[in-house]
Each structure stands twice: as C-alpha cells, then as structure tokens.
Amino acid sequence: MIIAIDGPAAAGKGTLARRISAHYGLPYLDTGALYRAVGLAMRLAGNDLTDEETAARVARDLDLALLEHPDLRSAQAGEAASRVAAMAGVRAALLDVQRDFARQPGGAVLDGRDIGTVVCPQADIKLFVTASPQERARRRWLELRERGEEAGFDDILAQVMARDARDKARAEAPLRPAQDAHLLDTSKLDIEAAFREARRIIGAHHQAGSGRRG
Ligand code: DC
C-alpha cells in the first residue's frame, strides 16, 4: 500500500505521516528533507541560490549525511529548499530516489508537495493535508522556538504565505491536491484527531477495495 501525503508547509503532514507509517508498519520518506538537503548544501557551499545548473548537480550527487544536519529544519534551509524545489533539474534529480523508495515491497508512506500528482500518481491513498496560514504559522513558530530559534510571529506568517505562493505558482510540479485526494483540514484538529480521521479514510478505502474485489 502506497500512501501519499501532500500539503503546504506546517500543515501537520510530517507528524501525521510518521504516525501512519508506525501504525501500518510502512517505511516513511519525508521528501521535503531531500529538497532541504539540496538547499542547505547550496547555502553551506556559498552557492548562488538561483544557479540552477549547480543546484541540479548538488541534487544528483546529494550528500545523504546532510539529512542529519542540525540546520536541516531551520527556516533558512526551508526557504532555500523552496527556491531550489522550483527548478526542473533539481526535481528530476530527486524523482528516482522517491519512486524507488515508494516501490518497496509492501509499500511506503511519502509526504511532500507532489507525491499524489507526480511522484506516485498510482498511490493507493492520497491525503491532502491543509490548515489555515495563521494556524500553520503558529505551529512553525512553536517548532522554531523549541529549537531555540526566536522569530516574530508576523515574520513567520509572512514566510509561510510566501512559501505557499512559491510552491503553488511554480511551473514544475506545483502544490495542488490530486483529483482523487482526500482533503484533511487540520486547522481545528489536534494530532490525535487528525490521525483518527486519516485512519478512517484509509480504512474506508480498504473496505471499498475488498468490496470491489468481492
Ligand atoms: O515540507 P518541507 O517544509 O520540509 O519542504 C521544504 C520545501 O521543499 C517546500 O517549500 C517545498 C519543497 N518540496 C517540494 O517542492 N516537493 C516535495 N515533494 C517536498 C518538498
């Protein structure tokens, strides 16, 4: 079973994906981390973030140790990720890694922006997880504060909205729900409630599948 989880930044995808992965015993890939690693590598090397050729090369030769880098989750790495993620060469370089992961026997859970639309259009279940920009900014603000990064709420909200705009407007694999995705708005749901709702959707899909098979 392949479960694709897409949605904007800080909507609760990652937490939900980890819970689903543990519950169903499926391996999990946080695909945003791959784009973050490319963005971070570009920053660490002092490269120009608009240099597409270099970014694509960095993505092709991605140093997987960067996935453990303490700054991977920083606001700067997220911003850099959103820039390099708009580049066709970078997306192409990361596509096979993601598809290979999804093809594991038994399936997998992947979260990102284009899993249900581009990486795994054949996924068994597609969830599109959203929350209001204010709620997502609040969650990001709390997360950064826990990491010891002080940032003003208004700045975070502006960043969240700028990243949404960039992720949605880009020509390459823009952020949008797949036609057959289930929408899950977590604005008023805590993680337990969101997880319950996700299990209900996945369970209903299973039942419908067994019904079809007779
Ligand atoms: O989910 P995240 O904040 O870690 O993602 C960082 C950036 O990577 C985000 O701005 C969009 C990009 N991204 C993408 O374009 N496609 C994906 N499948 C995952 C992330």
Side-chain angles (χ1 to χ4, degrees), residues 30-174:
D30 165 6
T31 67
L34 301 174
Y35 290 93
R36 283 174 178 266
V38 176
L40 185 61
M42 291 290 282
R43 281 182 68 96
L44 292 175
N47 292 327
D48 176 359
L49 278 175
T50 63
D51 178 352
E52 182 155 359
E53 206 176 304
T54 303
R57 183 169 42 72
V58 166
R60 277 195 300 274
D61 304 335
L62 190 61
D63 174 6
L64 293 178
L66 283 171
L67 295 174
E68 307 300 325
H69 196 285
D71 292 343
L72 191 75
R73 301 265 139 226
S74 68
Q76 287 80 2
E79 176 69 17
S82 173
R83 290 177 185 279
V84 298
M87 299 170 176
V90 170
R91 302 203 73 85
L94 297 181
L95 195 55
D96 283 348
V97 186
Q98 299 174 77
R99 285 194 173 150
D100 287 349
F101 190 92
R103 265 197 291 265
Q104 295 184 64
V109 179
L110 290 86
D111 80 12
R113 302 294 189 285
D114 63 337
I115 309 303
T117 51
V118 175
V119 178
C120 302
Q122 83 291 10
D124 300 285
I125 315 266
K126 299 179 186 178
L127 298 177
F128 194 84
V129 184
T130 57
S132 67
Q134 284 74 13
E135 177 57 21
R136 290 186 286 121
R138 192 185 67 82
R139 292 175 190 168
R140 189 63 102 196
W141 179 78
L142 284 173
E143 189 186 318
L144 289 175
R145 207 178 53 164
E146 264 171 37
R147 290 169 32 88
E149 277 187 54
E150 285 299 331
F153 177 80
D154 290 346
D155 289 343
I156 303 273
L157 180 59
Q159 273 171 24
V160 161
M161 293 177 81
R163 271 181 57 185
D164 282 2
R166 196 179 303 130
D167 293 347
K168 285 180 189 164
R170 67 181 181 217
E172 296 296 326

Side-chain angles (χ1 to χ4, degrees), residues 6 115-117 121 126 128 176-183:
D6 291 303
I115 309 303
T117 51
K126 299 179 186 178
F128 194 84
R176 63 174 178 81
Q179 245 175 10
D180 50 350
H182 299 269
L183 298 187

